[in-house]
Amino acid sequence: MEKRTIIAFVLSFLVLIFWSTLFQPPPRTSREGEEKAKTDLKTAAAPSRENSSLGQSDNTKALQGEGDRLIAPLAENAEAKKVIVDTPLYRAEFSTAGPTITSFKLKRYRQSTAKGSPPVELVHLKNSSGGLVEMAFQPITARNPQRIIYQTDQESIILKEGSSPQDLIFRAVTAEGLILTQTFRIHPDKYPIDLNLVFKNSTNRSLDGKVSGSIQNLPPEKSGGYSSFSGLALLLDEKLKEVPPKKMKDEKSFSGRIDWMAYEDHHFMTALIPEIREKAQARGRLTPSGAVVGTYASSPFSIPPGGVFTARFTLYLGPRDLTILKSLGKDLDRAINFGWFDWIAKPLLYTLRFFYKYVGNYGVAIIILTVLIKILFWPLTHKSYKSMKEMQKLQPHMARLREKYKNNKEQLNKELMSLYKTYKVNPLGGCLPMLIQIPVFFALFRILGNAIELRHAPFVLWINDLSAPDRLFHFPFKIPLMAPPYGIPVLTLLMGASMLIQQKMTPTPGDPAQAKLMMFLPLVFTVMFINFPSGLVLYWLTNNILSIGQQYRIMKSSS
């Protein structure tokens, strides 16, 4: 049974890694050219749609007085202009073409652990006239909305700690006579941006259309984590749908109640969240440059002559932090998915964060969490070790039975079962306690490899990033089986040595071939862990050390 357990454990690892690599990883092209805008239009007061998320006072404020006078005729060669938004959390660049976001830098997250490393940039687009996220009015007869250059009287918004939220307002008018207003409410102390859309029909005929939204980004060449997801995600009919770039060679279509649509990479995300959760359509595709494009289209609506249609959305551009996403109250936290063992992983993550609050070091928090898990599983592992020791005592009897009935497997099995019954030994006693712990390990595997809390989190000495492999010194040459950077994987080597010590202390199986296999396992695991995040290796090393102590105690008490 020990042999079967080890083989099952190794196969589980290989399946996990294969699954991770299988399900890992360009800019949207929009029609350019602007129609000549109409001259100032007379303000018309009309009730908004019944289920609109903006009140009538908001509509009137957005459309009357100074608002309409800002909409001047546009030259055919009008150029887009940039508006800078600077807050304590991020620095963004908005373009009046769209309008869209062409840059979004997170001030509290750096690209690397190197001193002076620039902040993380969420926008990764090449050779594109578009941006990261864009909202528009889409005529019912058009497949895609027309790119429009808006006008704004603002050149920048700078918010400090304690500042009040400010509005960034864009206005435009289409050739058909539809007045468009997009208002972005910027907050100084949080990542979400409130977006209000107001469409006013100044013509003498009804205008039919949809609210269209798009998110596009270029996936990273490397995901940066094991079992991490990069691609398009949406919450469709209360179910999480994740579409990696590899599955978007053909356009994907979705229809149903869409609570949110997002582009995700390893640690960050850009999400579009409608205020009204209603039936909508979404599409996902790849551009020739490899960028992921997700488009959202609301249910069709009609704006009567002189009528106004309003809608409200929330844009989230920031870290995939479980606490922050949960605080939004829009089910965006469901974007963080740790797989089959998500129901175990999230409580473990909250526990890890709890310990961090008191010790201030995620490496120490991992050690404390490992000790806690070891205490919880102490009775099971204790029973497992005792069962293996009892099985070792039966090895001579089992060897004689195998020799005696080597040509009669059916009789051999009967004799072995009789032997177990006589000595009151359960052959599964050493296996089941170990198998029960596998879900916990896989949950920790996902957490320690993907949680943003461990990104660039230092431990001690040279270990300054628990989400990256451990490397002491950096070598200018390649090392077989090792991912860059190349160096000495100290934690991994210590883990392999601890496994070897633990294996030496484990009761030796009667089968020589099985004994050789088990002595070979420390080398196998060392090679497997060489590119794993150092946080995961730290957990396994700590667990091995605790197991050695537990085995020593059992051996001493039974001697």
Side-chain angles (χ1 to χ4, degrees), residues 307-371:
V308 173
F309 178 89
T310 64
R312 177 176 292 172
F313 291 80
T314 298
L315 305 180
Y316 179 83
L317 302 92
R320 296 180 69 237
D321 185 298
L322 190 58
T323 302
I324 295 176
L325 299 183
K326 199 171 185 65
S327 67
L328 293 178
K330 300 179 183 293
D331 290 330
L332 195 58
D333 57 296
R334 293 185 60 181
I336 299 180
N337 177 29
F338 293 114
W340 291 345
F341 304 111
D342 187 74
W343 58 281
I344 301 176
K346 286 182 178 176
L348 289 175
L349 178 58
Y350 282 122
T351 305
L352 187 67
R353 292 176 60 132
F354 173 79
F355 290 141
Y356 174 77
K357 280 173 34 179
Y358 293 95
V359 299
N361 185 301
Y362 270 110
V364 177
I366 289 172
I367 294 173
I368 297 174
L369 179 62
T370 309
V371 173

Side-chain angles (χ1 to χ4, degrees), residues 186-205:
I186 311 297
H187 300 268
D189 55 352
K190 59 182 182 179
Y191 293 102
I193 298 174
D194 304 323
L195 173 59
N196 293 340
L197 304 176
V198 180
F199 305 144
K200 185 177 74 168
N201 183 2
S202 64
T203 71
N204 57 6
R205 67 186 188 282

Side-chain angles (χ1 to χ4, degrees), residues 287-305:
T287 67
S289 63
V292 171
V293 178
T295 57
Y296 167 93
S298 71
S299 298
F301 56 84
S302 180
I303 310 176

Side-chain angles (χ1 to χ4, degrees), residues 215 229 231-235 260-264 269-272 332 335:
I215 298 175
F229 171 74
L232 181 68
L234 61 156
L235 193 62
W260 51 261
M261 179 184 72
Y263 168 80
E264 301 179 31
M269 69 183 301
T270 301
L272 175 66
L332 195 58

Side-chain angles (χ1 to χ4, degrees), residues 470-489:
D470 156 47
R471 301 287 188 263
L472 177 61
F473 307 123
H474 285 176
F475 302 144
F477 50 84
K478 293 183 178 181
I479 299 177
L481 303 178
M482 181 180 288
Y486 307 105
I488 303 174

Side-chain angles (χ1 to χ4, degrees), residues 55-66:
Q56 181 62 37
S57 60
D58 291 328
N59 299 339
T60 304
K61 182 179 178 181
L63 295 173
Q64 68 183 8
E66 184 181 355

